[in-house]
Amino acid sequence: MNRIHHQRLVDQVPALFVLLIVGAVLAGCASSAGAHTASASPTHSPALAASTPAAARTFTSRHYGYTETLPAGWASAAQATQQWDGKGAPGYEDSVVDLFQGPGGVQAWALAAPTKESLAAYAKATIRAAHAGHPCPAAPQTNQAITIGGAPARLLGMQCPAGSGFLVETAVTIRHGTAFVFASLNPSGTTPTDRPAFRNFLAGITFQR
């Protein structure tokens, strides 16, 4: 091997190493997203959160009539690019959700649609949709009463798939004929800080109507 050819190989090693790392990360992200989202063509990326200015502490949804005062450690990652039709159980990479990045890798997403159902009936419909569209159990492990923006709400907790350790929390409330759904998941694996982080996020919600 001549000296020039040897030098070219040396120069190429760092670039190849970077490509291998990026490929592994992308493969891991694709695997995680496939297990927890219903969208076949993801449009949101948590990496967008890195470009959110630290001073932008208030997020106003373009589609869904709520405002989020972002707690410490939270940032807006993406606005929904189209309005949800109320069908199915969109995940964090679907184009119909507002996406947020929280501390420790936890994520939250939000969406809303008109409804004529009661809060109890809508919570049950949300559970059925999650079970039909994702590997989530037919009944949540937890179902508790909370408030969001001063309105009564239900906070549902379940592991998807059951026994996997991946905790999905979904908060549902209804205001003036509109059902609001706020969900949370840590794609890297649930940590002890995820639940309190999501509750801090929910505490920042106010409704515009």
Side-chain angles (χ1 to χ4, degrees), residues 94-124:
D94 283 282
S95 61
V96 297
V97 307
D98 296 328
L99 180 64
F100 303 87
Q101 185 74 39
V106 68
Q107 296 176 358
W109 59 100
L111 63 171
T115 186
K116 295 182 179 179
E117 295 185 330
S118 67
L119 175 59
Y122 197 88
K124 290 180 181 178

Side-chain angles (χ1 to χ4, degrees), residues 6-17:
H6 174 75
Q7 184 61 42
R8 285 178 179 173
L9 287 177
V10 170
D11 292 341
Q12 289 171 357
V13 166
L16 290 172
F17 183 69

